[in-house]
Amino acid sequence: MKKKLLKLKIKYAIFISIFFVILYKGAEFYTYTVDNVPSYFMEWERSIPFLPIFMLPYMTSAPFFLVTLFIVKNEKDLKLLMKRAIFLTVVSVSIFIIFPMKFYFPKPEINNSIFKFLFNVLGQLDSSFNQCPSLHVSFAFLSATVYYKEINSKIKYLLCMWGFLLAISILFVYQHHFIDFVGGTLIFIITCLIFPRKSY
């Protein structure tokens, strides 16, 4: 039974990775063809400091989520997690296409070689599009709920804190505006309401 569940987890991990990349990059490619993509932000956001150190949690988004697939203890929880991940990805990507947005603020010069490297990697993997709702935020909160439920030791509080840092990091690395954070949070909440744990 454990071997069967492990195989299913590996299968789902591969599937959601490919599924996510195809949809995410597809939306990004589409937005590149759109003229005059708008930006939405509030004036107070100009005072948000650019903090390169937040690249550390920001860049852990994918592994932070993928690990959750392997710590759930049964097939029902695994399938619920997959339903939530697929749903919030499809909804978010649909919004990216219907209401494309881009980030407005330019990134300041980075002197630290490590952070400069990380931002260069980010530039290759991410884009200034696919803004609202932020999938970084949605997946950070989705992952944190799994860590909180599945881990019995106090380390779960550290992991949940890391998930929160991951979510807010989008603001401090100048990758998303505040509306994207709110949108990502709302999509996560809506997803959990549509697919509640008791539903299965």
Coordinates of all heavy atoms in Angstrom, one line a residue, residues 26-111:
G26 N 2.3 29.3 -21.1 CA 1.3 29.6 -22.2 C 0.7 31.0 -22.0 O 0.5 31.8 -23.0
A27 N 0.3 31.3 -20.8 CA -0.3 32.6 -20.5 C 0.7 33.7 -20.7 O 0.4 34.8 -21.2 CB -0.8 32.6 -19.0
E28 N 1.9 33.4 -20.3 CA 3.0 34.4 -20.4 C 3.3 34.7 -21.9 O 3.4 35.9 -22.3 CB 4.3 33.9 -19.8 CG 5.5 34.8 -19.9 CD 6.8 34.2 -19.4 OE1 6.7 33.4 -18.5 OE2 7.8 34.6 -19.9
F29 N 3.3 33.7 -22.7 CA 3.5 33.8 -24.2 C 2.4 34.6 -24.8 O 2.6 35.5 -25.6 CB 3.6 32.5 -24.8 CG 3.7 32.5 -26.3 CD1 5.0 32.8 -26.9 CD2 2.6 32.3 -27.1 CE1 5.1 32.9 -28.3 CE2 2.7 32.4 -28.5 CZ 4.0 32.7 -29.1
Y30 N 1.2 34.4 -24.3 CA 0.0 35.1 -24.9 C 0.1 36.6 -24.5 O -0.1 37.5 -25.4 CB -1.3 34.5 -24.3 CG -2.5 35.5 -24.5 CD1 -3.1 35.5 -25.8 CD2 -3.0 36.3 -23.5 CE1 -4.1 36.4 -26.0 CE2 -4.0 37.1 -23.7 CZ -4.6 37.2 -25.0 OH -5.7 38.1 -25.2
T31 N 0.5 36.9 -23.3 CA 0.6 38.3 -22.8 C 1.6 39.1 -23.6 O 1.5 40.3 -23.8 CB 0.8 38.4 -21.3 OG1 -0.1 37.5 -20.6 CG2 0.6 39.8 -20.8
Y32 N 2.7 38.4 -24.0 CA 3.7 39.0 -24.8 C 3.2 39.5 -26.1 O 3.7 40.5 -26.8 CB 4.9 38.1 -25.1 CG 5.9 38.1 -24.0 CD1 6.2 36.9 -23.3 CD2 6.7 39.2 -23.7 CE1 7.2 36.9 -22.3 CE2 7.6 39.2 -22.7 CZ 7.9 38.1 -22.0 OH 8.8 38.0 -21.0
T33 N 2.1 39.0 -26.6 CA 1.5 39.4 -27.9 C 0.4 40.5 -27.7 O -0.1 41.0 -28.7 CB 0.8 38.2 -28.5 OG1 -0.4 37.8 -27.8 CG2 1.7 37.0 -28.7
V34 N 0.1 40.8 -26.5 CA -0.9 41.9 -26.2 C -0.2 43.2 -26.1 O 0.8 43.4 -25.5 CB -1.6 41.6 -24.9 CG1 -2.6 42.7 -24.5 CG2 -2.3 40.2 -24.9
D35 N -0.8 44.2 -26.8 CA -0.3 45.6 -26.7 C -0.8 46.3 -25.5 O -2.0 46.1 -25.0 CB -0.8 46.4 -28.0 CG -0.2 45.8 -29.2 OD1 1.0 45.3 -29.2 OD2 -0.9 45.8 -30.3
N36 N 0.0 47.2 -24.9 CA -0.4 48.0 -23.8 C -1.0 47.3 -22.6 O -2.1 47.5 -22.2 CB -1.5 49.1 -24.3 CG -0.9 49.9 -25.4 OD1 0.2 50.4 -25.4 ND2 -1.8 50.1 -26.4
V37 N -0.2 46.3 -22.1 CA -0.6 45.6 -20.9 C -0.5 46.6 -19.7 O 0.5 47.2 -19.5 CB 0.3 44.4 -20.7 CG1 -0.1 43.7 -19.4 CG2 0.3 43.4 -21.9
P38 N -1.6 46.7 -19.0 CA -1.6 47.7 -17.9 C -0.9 47.2 -16.6 O -0.7 46.0 -16.4 CB -3.1 47.9 -17.6 CG -3.7 46.6 -18.0 CD -2.9 46.1 -19.1
S39 N -0.7 48.1 -15.7 CA -0.2 47.8 -14.3 C -1.2 48.5 -13.3 O -1.7 49.6 -13.6 CB 1.2 48.4 -14.1 OG 2.1 47.9 -15.0
Y40 N -1.4 47.8 -12.2 CA -2.3 48.3 -11.2 C -1.6 48.3 -9.9 O -1.2 47.3 -9.4 CB -3.6 47.5 -11.1 CG -4.4 47.5 -12.4 CD1 -4.3 46.5 -13.4 CD2 -5.3 48.6 -12.6 CE1 -5.1 46.6 -14.5 CE2 -6.1 48.7 -13.8 CZ -5.9 47.7 -14.7 OH -6.7 47.7 -15.9
F41 N -1.4 49.5 -9.3 CA -0.8 49.6 -8.0 C -1.3 50.9 -7.3 O -1.8 51.8 -8.0 CB 0.7 49.6 -8.1 CG 1.3 50.7 -8.9 CD1 1.7 51.9 -8.2 CD2 1.4 50.7 -10.2 CE1 2.2 53.0 -8.9 CE2 2.0 51.8 -10.9 CZ 2.3 52.9 -10.3
M42 N -1.1 50.9 -6.0 CA -1.5 52.1 -5.2 C -0.2 52.9 -4.9 O 0.9 52.3 -4.8 CB -2.2 51.7 -3.9 CG -3.6 51.1 -4.2 SD -4.3 50.3 -2.8 CE -3.6 48.7 -2.8
E43 N -0.4 54.2 -4.8 CA 0.8 55.1 -4.6 C 1.6 54.7 -3.4 O 2.9 54.8 -3.4 CB 0.3 56.5 -4.5 CG 0.0 57.2 -5.8 CD 1.2 57.1 -6.8 OE1 2.3 57.5 -6.4 OE2 0.9 56.7 -8.0
W44 N 1.0 54.2 -2.3 CA 1.8 53.9 -1.1 C 2.7 52.7 -1.4 O 3.7 52.6 -0.6 CB 0.8 53.5 0.0 CG 0.0 52.3 -0.1 CD1 -1.3 52.3 -0.6 CD2 0.3 50.9 0.1 NE1 -1.8 51.0 -0.6 CE2 -0.8 50.2 -0.2 CE3 1.5 50.3 0.5 CZ2 -0.8 48.8 -0.1 CZ3 1.5 48.9 0.6 CH2 0.4 48.2 0.3
E45 N 2.5 52.0 -2.4 CA 3.4 50.8 -2.7 C 4.8 51.3 -3.2 O 5.7 50.5 -3.1 CB 2.8 50.0 -3.8 CG 1.5 49.2 -3.4 CD 1.0 48.3 -4.5 OE1 1.7 47.4 -4.9 OE2 -0.2 48.5 -4.9
R46 N 4.9 52.6 -3.6 CA 6.2 53.1 -3.9 C 7.2 53.1 -2.8 O 8.4 53.2 -2.9 CB 6.1 54.5 -4.5 CG 5.3 54.6 -5.9 CD 5.2 56.0 -6.4 NE 4.5 56.1 -7.6 CZ 5.0 55.9 -8.8 NH1 6.3 55.6 -9.0 NH2 4.2 56.0 -9.9
S47 N 6.6 53.1 -1.5 CA 7.4 53.2 -0.3 C 7.8 51.8 0.1 O 8.6 51.7 1.1 CB 6.7 53.9 0.8 OG 5.5 53.1 1.1
I48 N 7.4 50.7 -0.5 CA 7.8 49.4 -0.2 C 9.3 49.2 -0.5 O 9.7 49.4 -1.7 CB 7.0 48.3 -0.9 CG1 5.5 48.4 -0.5 CG2 7.5 46.9 -0.6 CD1 4.6 47.4 -1.2
P49 N 10.1 48.8 0.4 CA 11.5 48.7 0.1 C 11.9 47.5 -0.7 O 11.2 46.5 -0.6 CB 12.2 48.6 1.5 CG 11.1 47.9 2.4 CD 9.8 48.5 1.8
F50 N 12.9 47.6 -1.5 CA 13.4 46.5 -2.3 C 14.4 45.7 -1.4 O 15.4 46.3 -1.1 CB 14.0 47.0 -3.6 CG 14.6 45.9 -4.4 CD1 13.8 45.0 -5.1 CD2 16.0 45.8 -4.6 CE1 14.3 44.0 -5.9 CE2 16.5 44.8 -5.3 CZ 15.7 43.9 -6.0
L51 N 14.1 44.5 -1.1 CA 14.9 43.7 -0.1 C 15.3 42.4 -0.8 O 14.6 41.4 -0.8 CB 14.1 43.4 1.2 CG 13.6 44.7 1.9 CD1 12.8 44.2 3.1 CD2 14.8 45.5 2.4
P52 N 16.5 42.4 -1.4 CA 16.9 41.2 -2.1 C 16.9 39.9 -1.3 O 16.8 38.8 -1.8 CB 18.4 41.6 -2.6 CG 18.3 43.0 -2.7 CD 17.4 43.5 -1.5
I53 N 17.1 40.0 0.0 CA 17.2 38.8 0.9 C 15.9 38.0 0.8 O 15.9 36.8 1.1 CB 17.5 39.2 2.4 CG1 17.9 38.0 3.2 CG2 16.2 39.9 3.0 CD1 18.4 38.3 4.5
F54 N 14.8 38.7 0.4 CA 13.5 37.9 0.3 C 13.5 37.0 -0.9 O 12.5 36.3 -1.2 CB 12.3 38.9 0.2 CG 11.8 39.3 1.6 CD1 12.3 40.4 2.2 CD2 10.8 38.5 2.2 CE1 11.8 40.7 3.5 CE2 10.3 38.9 3.4 CZ 10.8 40.0 4.1
M55 N 14.6 37.1 -1.7 CA 14.7 36.1 -2.8 C 14.8 34.7 -2.3 O 14.5 33.7 -3.0 CB 15.9 36.5 -3.7 CG 15.6 37.5 -4.8 SD 14.3 36.9 -5.9 CE 15.2 35.7 -6.8
L56 N 15.4 34.6 -1.1 CA 15.6 33.2 -0.5 C 14.2 32.5 -0.3 O 14.1 31.4 -0.8 CB 16.3 33.4 0.8 CG 17.7 34.0 0.8 CD1 18.4 34.0 2.1 CD2 18.6 33.1 -0.2
P57 N 13.2 33.1 0.3 CA 11.9 32.4 0.4 C 11.2 32.3 -1.0 O 10.6 31.3 -1.4 CB 11.1 33.1 1.4 CG 11.8 34.5 1.5 CD 13.2 34.3 1.2
Y58 N 11.4 33.4 -1.8 CA 10.7 33.5 -3.0 C 11.1 32.3 -4.0 O 10.2 31.7 -4.6 CB 11.0 34.8 -3.7 CG 10.2 35.1 -5.0 CD1 9.0 35.7 -5.0 CD2 10.7 34.6 -6.2 CE1 8.3 35.9 -6.1 CE2 10.0 34.8 -7.4 CZ 8.8 35.5 -7.3 OH 8.0 35.7 -8.5
M59 N 12.3 32.0 -4.0 CA 12.8 31.0 -4.9 C 12.5 29.6 -4.5 O 12.8 28.6 -5.2 CB 14.3 31.1 -5.1 CG 14.7 32.4 -5.9 SD 14.1 32.5 -7.6 CE 15.2 31.4 -8.4
T60 N 12.0 29.4 -3.3 CA 11.6 28.1 -2.8 C 10.2 27.7 -3.1 O 9.8 26.6 -2.6 CB 11.9 28.0 -1.3 OG1 10.9 28.8 -0.6 CG2 13.3 28.3 -0.9
S61 N 9.5 28.4 -3.8 CA 8.1 28.2 -4.1 C 7.8 26.8 -4.6 O 6.9 26.1 -4.0 CB 7.5 29.2 -5.1 OG 6.1 29.0 -5.3
A62 N 8.4 26.4 -5.6 CA 8.2 25.1 -6.2 C 8.5 23.9 -5.3 O 7.6 23.1 -5.0 CB 8.9 24.9 -7.5
P63 N 9.7 23.8 -4.7 CA 10.0 22.7 -3.8 C 9.1 22.8 -2.5 O 8.7 21.7 -2.0 CB 11.5 22.9 -3.4 CG 11.8 24.3 -3.8 CD 10.9 24.6 -4.9
F64 N 8.8 24.0 -2.1 CA 7.9 24.1 -0.9 C 6.6 23.4 -1.1 O 6.0 22.8 -0.2 CB 7.7 25.6 -0.5 CG 7.1 25.9 0.8 CD1 7.8 25.6 2.0 CD2 5.8 26.4 0.9 CE1 7.2 25.9 3.2 CE2 5.2 26.6 2.1 CZ 5.9 26.4 3.3
F65 N 6.1 23.6 -2.3 CA 4.8 22.9 -2.6 C 5.0 21.4 -2.9 O 4.2 20.6 -2.4 CB 4.1 23.6 -3.8 CG 2.9 22.7 -4.3 CD1 1.8 22.6 -3.6 CD2 3.0 22.0 -5.5 CE1 0.7 21.8 -4.0 CE2 2.0 21.2 -6.0 CZ 0.8 21.1 -5.2
L66 N 5.9 21.1 -3.7 CA 6.1 19.7 -4.1 C 6.3 18.7 -2.9 O 5.9 17.6 -3.0 CB 7.2 19.5 -5.1 CG 7.0 20.1 -6.5 CD1 8.2 20.1 -7.4 CD2 5.8 19.4 -7.2
V67 N 7.0 19.2 -1.9 CA 7.2 18.4 -0.7 C 5.9 18.0 -0.1 O 5.8 16.9 0.5 CB 8.1 19.1 0.3 CG1 8.2 18.4 1.6 CG2 9.6 19.2 -0.3
T68 N 4.9 18.9 -0.2 CA 3.6 18.6 0.5 C 3.0 17.3 -0.1 O 2.3 16.6 0.6 CB 2.6 19.7 0.3 OG1 2.3 20.0 -1.1 CG2 3.2 21.0 0.9
L69 N 3.2 17.1 -1.4 CA 2.7 15.9 -2.0 C 3.2 14.6 -1.4 O 2.5 13.6 -1.4 CB 3.0 15.8 -3.5 CG 2.4 16.9 -4.4 CD1 3.0 16.9 -5.8 CD2 0.9 16.9 -4.4
F70 N 4.4 14.7 -0.8 CA 5.0 13.5 -0.2 C 4.8 13.3 1.3 O 5.2 12.3 1.8 CB 6.5 13.5 -0.6 CG 6.8 13.3 -2.1 CD1 6.9 14.4 -2.9 CD2 6.8 12.1 -2.6 CE1 7.1 14.3 -4.2 CE2 7.0 11.9 -4.0 CZ 7.2 13.0 -4.8
I71 N 4.3 14.4 1.9 CA 4.1 14.2 3.4 C 2.6 13.9 3.7 O 2.3 13.6 4.9 CB 4.5 15.5 4.1 CG1 3.6 16.7 3.8 CG2 6.0 15.8 3.9 CD1 3.9 17.9 4.7
V72 N 1.7 14.0 2.8 CA 0.3 13.7 3.1 C 0.3 12.1 3.3 O 1.0 11.4 2.7 CB -0.7 14.0 1.9 CG1 -0.8 15.5 1.8 CG2 -0.2 13.5 0.6
K73 N -0.6 11.7 4.2 CA -0.5 10.3 4.7 C -1.5 9.3 4.0 O -1.4 8.1 4.2 CB -0.7 10.3 6.2 CG 0.3 11.1 7.0 CD 0.0 11.0 8.5 CE 1.1 11.8 9.3 NZ 1.1 13.2 9.0
N74 N -2.4 9.8 3.2 CA -3.3 8.9 2.5 C -3.7 9.5 1.2 O -3.5 10.6 0.8 CB -4.5 8.7 3.4 CG -5.3 10.0 3.7 OD1 -5.9 10.6 2.9 ND2 -5.3 10.3 5.0
E75 N -4.3 8.6 0.4 CA -4.7 8.9 -1.0 C -5.8 10.0 -1.1 O -5.8 10.8 -2.0 CB -5.1 7.6 -1.7 CG -5.4 7.8 -3.2 CD -5.6 6.5 -3.9 OE1 -5.2 5.4 -3.5 OE2 -6.3 6.6 -5.0
K76 N -6.7 10.0 -0.1 CA -7.8 10.9 -0.2 C -7.2 12.4 0.0 O -7.6 13.3 -0.7 CB -8.8 10.6 0.9 CG -9.6 9.4 0.6 CD -10.6 9.1 1.7 CE -11.5 7.9 1.4 NZ -12.5 7.6 2.5
D77 N -6.3 12.5 1.0 CA -5.7 13.9 1.2 C -4.9 14.3 0.0 O -4.8 15.4 -0.4 CB -4.8 13.8 2.4 CG -5.7 14.0 3.7 OD1 -6.8 14.4 3.6 OD2 -5.1 13.6 4.8
L78 N -4.2 13.3 -0.6 CA -3.4 13.6 -1.8 C -4.2 14.1 -3.0 O -3.9 15.0 -3.6 CB -2.6 12.3 -2.2 CG -1.7 12.4 -3.5 CD1 -0.6 13.5 -3.2 CD2 -1.1 11.1 -3.8
K79 N -5.4 13.4 -3.2 CA -6.3 13.8 -4.3 C -6.9 15.1 -4.0 O -7.1 15.9 -4.9 CB -7.3 12.7 -4.5 CG -6.7 11.4 -5.1 CD -7.8 10.4 -5.4 CE -7.2 9.2 -6.1 NZ -8.3 8.1 -6.4
L80 N -7.2 15.4 -2.8 CA -7.8 16.7 -2.4 C -6.8 17.8 -2.7 O -7.1 18.8 -3.3 CB -8.2 16.7 -0.9 CG -8.7 18.1 -0.4 CD1 -9.9 18.5 -1.1 CD2 -8.9 18.1 1.1
L81 N -5.5 17.6 -2.3 CA -4.4 18.5 -2.6 C -4.3 18.8 -4.1 O -4.1 19.9 -4.5 CB -3.1 18.0 -2.0 CG -1.9 18.9 -2.2 CD1 -2.1 20.3 -1.7 CD2 -0.7 18.3 -1.5
M82 N -4.3 17.7 -4.9 CA -4.2 17.9 -6.3 C -5.4 18.6 -6.9 O -5.2 19.5 -7.8 CB -4.1 16.5 -7.0 CG -2.7 15.8 -6.8 SD -1.4 16.7 -7.6 CE -1.9 16.5 -9.3
K83 N -6.6 18.4 -6.4 CA -7.8 19.1 -6.9 C -7.6 20.6 -6.7 O -7.9 21.4 -7.5 CB -9.0 18.6 -6.2 CG -9.5 17.2 -6.7 CD -10.7 16.8 -5.9 CE -11.2 15.4 -6.3 NZ -12.4 15.0 -5.4
R84 N -7.1 20.9 -5.5 CA -7.0 22.3 -5.1 C -5.9 23.0 -6.0 O -6.0 24.1 -6.5 CB -6.6 22.4 -3.6 CG -7.8 22.1 -2.7 CD -7.3 22.2 -1.2 NE -8.5 22.1 -0.3 CZ -8.4 22.1 1.0 NH1 -7.2 22.2 1.6 NH2 -9.4 22.1 1.8
A85 N -4.8 22.3 -6.2 CA -3.7 22.8 -6.9 C -4.0 23.0 -8.4 O -3.7 24.1 -9.0 CB -2.4 21.9 -6.8
I86 N -4.7 22.1 -9.0 CA -5.2 22.2 -10.4 C -6.2 23.3 -10.5 O -6.1 24.1 -11.4 CB -5.8 20.8 -10.8 CG1 -4.7 19.8 -11.0 CG2 -6.5 21.0 -12.2 CD1 -5.2 18.4 -11.2
F87 N -7.1 23.4 -9.6 CA -8.2 24.4 -9.7 C -7.6 25.8 -9.6 O -7.9 26.6 -10.4 CB -9.2 24.2 -8.6 CG -10.3 25.2 -8.5 CD1 -11.4 25.1 -9.4 CD2 -10.3 26.3 -7.6 CE1 -12.4 26.1 -9.4 CE2 -11.3 27.2 -7.6 CZ -12.3 27.1 -8.5
L88 N -6.8 26.0 -8.6 CA -6.3 27.4 -8.4 C -5.3 27.8 -9.6 O -5.2 29.0 -10.0 CB -5.7 27.6 -7.1 CG -4.4 26.9 -6.7 CD1 -3.1 27.6 -7.2 CD2 -4.3 26.8 -5.1
T89 N -4.7 26.8 -10.2 CA -3.8 27.1 -11.3 C -4.6 27.4 -12.5 O -4.4 28.4 -13.2 CB -2.9 25.9 -11.6 OG1 -2.1 25.6 -10.5 CG2 -2.0 26.1 -12.9
V90 N -5.7 26.7 -12.8 CA -6.5 26.9 -14.0 C -7.2 28.3 -13.9 O -7.3 29.1 -14.8 CB -7.6 25.8 -14.2 CG1 -8.6 26.2 -15.2 CG2 -6.9 24.5 -14.5
V91 N -7.8 28.5 -12.7 CA -8.5 29.8 -12.5 C -7.5 31.0 -12.6 O -7.8 32.0 -13.3 CB -9.2 29.8 -11.1 CG1 -9.7 31.2 -10.8 CG2 -10.3 28.8 -11.0
S92 N -6.4 30.9 -12.0 CA -5.4 32.0 -12.0 C -4.9 32.2 -13.4 O -4.8 33.4 -13.9 CB -4.2 31.7 -11.1 OG -4.6 31.5 -9.8
V93 N -4.6 31.2 -14.2 CA -4.1 31.3 -15.5 C -5.2 31.9 -16.4 O -4.9 32.8 -17.3 CB -3.6 30.0 -16.1 CG1 -3.3 30.1 -17.6 CG2 -2.3 29.6 -15.4
S94 N -6.4 31.5 -16.2 CA -7.5 32.1 -17.0 C -7.6 33.6 -16.7 O -7.9 34.4 -17.7 CB -8.8 31.4 -16.6 OG -8.8 30.0 -16.8
I95 N -7.4 34.0 -15.5 CA -7.5 35.5 -15.2 C -6.3 36.2 -15.8 O -6.4 37.3 -16.3 CB -7.5 35.7 -13.7 CG1 -8.8 35.1 -13.1 CG2 -7.4 37.2 -13.3 CD1 -8.8 35.1 -11.6
F96 N -5.1 35.5 -15.8 CA -3.9 36.1 -16.5 C -4.2 36.5 -17.9 O -3.8 37.5 -18.5 CB -2.7 35.2 -16.5 CG -2.2 34.8 -15.1 CD1 -1.5 33.7 -14.8 CD2 -2.4 35.7 -14.0 CE1 -1.0 33.4 -13.6 CE2 -2.0 35.4 -12.7 CZ -1.3 34.2 -12.5
I97 N -5.0 35.6 -18.6 CA -5.3 35.7 -20.0 C -6.4 36.8 -20.3 O -6.3 37.6 -21.2 CB -5.7 34.4 -20.6 CG1 -4.5 33.4 -20.6 CG2 -6.2 34.5 -22.1 CD1 -4.8 32.0 -21.0
I98 N -7.4 36.7 -19.4 CA -8.5 37.6 -19.6 C -8.2 39.1 -19.2 O -8.5 40.0 -19.8 CB -9.7 37.2 -18.8 CG1 -10.2 35.8 -19.3 CG2 -10.9 38.2 -18.9 CD1 -11.3 35.1 -18.4
F99 N -7.4 39.2 -18.0 CA -7.0 40.5 -17.5 C -5.5 40.5 -17.3 O -5.0 40.5 -16.2 CB -7.7 40.8 -16.2 CG -9.2 40.7 -16.2 CD1 -9.9 39.7 -15.7 CD2 -9.9 41.7 -16.9 CE1 -11.3 39.6 -15.7 CE2 -11.3 41.7 -16.9 CZ -12.0 40.6 -16.3
P100 N -4.8 40.6 -18.4 CA -3.3 40.6 -18.3 C -2.8 41.9 -17.6 O -3.3 42.9 -17.8 CB -2.8 40.5 -19.8 CG -4.0 41.1 -20.6 CD -5.2 40.7 -19.8
M101 N -1.8 41.7 -16.8 CA -1.1 42.8 -16.1 C 0.4 42.6 -16.1 O 0.9 41.5 -16.4 CB -1.6 42.9 -14.6 CG -3.1 43.1 -14.4 SD -3.5 43.2 -12.6 CE -5.2 43.0 -12.7
K102 N 1.1 43.7 -15.8 CA 2.5 43.6 -15.7 C 3.0 44.4 -14.5 O 2.3 45.3 -14.0 CB 3.2 44.1 -17.0 CG 3.0 45.6 -17.3 CD 3.7 46.0 -18.6 CE 3.5 47.5 -18.9 NZ 4.1 47.8 -20.1
F103 N 4.2 44.1 -14.0 CA 4.7 44.8 -12.8 C 5.3 46.1 -13.3 O 5.9 46.2 -14.4 CB 5.8 44.0 -12.2 CG 6.3 44.6 -10.9 CD1 5.5 44.5 -9.7 CD2 7.5 45.2 -10.8 CE1 5.9 45.0 -8.5 CE2 7.9 45.8 -9.6 CZ 7.1 45.7 -8.5
Y104 N 5.1 47.2 -12.5 CA 5.5 48.5 -13.0 C 6.9 49.0 -12.6 O 7.6 49.6 -13.3 CB 4.4 49.5 -12.5 CG 4.6 50.9 -13.0 CD1 4.3 51.3 -14.2 CD2 5.2 51.9 -12.1 CE1 4.5 52.6 -14.7 CE2 5.4 53.2 -12.6 CZ 5.1 53.5 -13.9 OH 5.3 54.8 -14.3
F105 N 7.2 48.8 -11.3 CA 8.5 49.3 -10.8 C 9.7 48.7 -11.3 O 9.8 47.4 -11.4 CB 8.5 49.2 -9.2 CG 7.3 49.8 -8.5 CD1 6.9 49.3 -7.3 CD2 6.7 50.9 -9.1 CE1 5.8 49.8 -6.7 CE2 5.6 51.5 -8.4 CZ 5.1 50.9 -7.2
P106 N 10.7 49.4 -11.7 CA 12.0 48.8 -12.1 C 12.8 48.3 -10.9 O 12.7 48.9 -9.8 CB 12.7 50.0 -12.8 CG 12.2 51.2 -12.1 CD 10.7 50.9 -11.8
K107 N 13.5 47.2 -11.1 CA 14.3 46.7 -10.0 C 15.6 47.5 -9.8 O 16.3 47.8 -10.8 CB 14.6 45.2 -10.2 CG 13.4 44.3 -10.1 CD 13.9 42.9 -10.3 CE 12.7 41.9 -10.0 NZ 11.6 42.1 -10.9
P108 N 16.0 47.9 -8.6 CA 17.2 48.6 -8.4 C 18.4 47.7 -8.7 O 18.3 46.5 -8.9 CB 17.2 48.9 -6.9 CG 15.7 48.8 -6.5 CD 15.2 47.8 -7.4
E109 N 19.6 48.4 -8.8 CA 20.8 47.6 -9.1 C 21.1 46.8 -7.9 O 21.0 47.2 -6.7 CB 21.9 48.6 -9.3 CG 23.3 48.0 -9.7 CD 23.2 47.3 -11.1 OE1 22.4 47.7 -11.9 OE2 24.0 46.3 -11.3
I110 N 21.6 45.6 -8.1 CA 21.9 44.6 -7.1 C 23.4 44.4 -7.1 O 24.0 44.0 -8.1 CB 21.2 43.3 -7.3 CG1 19.7 43.5 -7.3 CG2 21.6 42.3 -6.2 CD1 18.9 42.3 -7.8
N111 N 24.1 44.7 -5.9 CA 25.5 44.6 -5.8 C 26.0 43.2 -5.3 O 27.0 42.7 -5.7 CB 26.1 45.7 -4.9 CG 25.8 47.0 -5.5 OD1 25.9 47.3 -6.7 ND2 25.4 48.0 -4.6

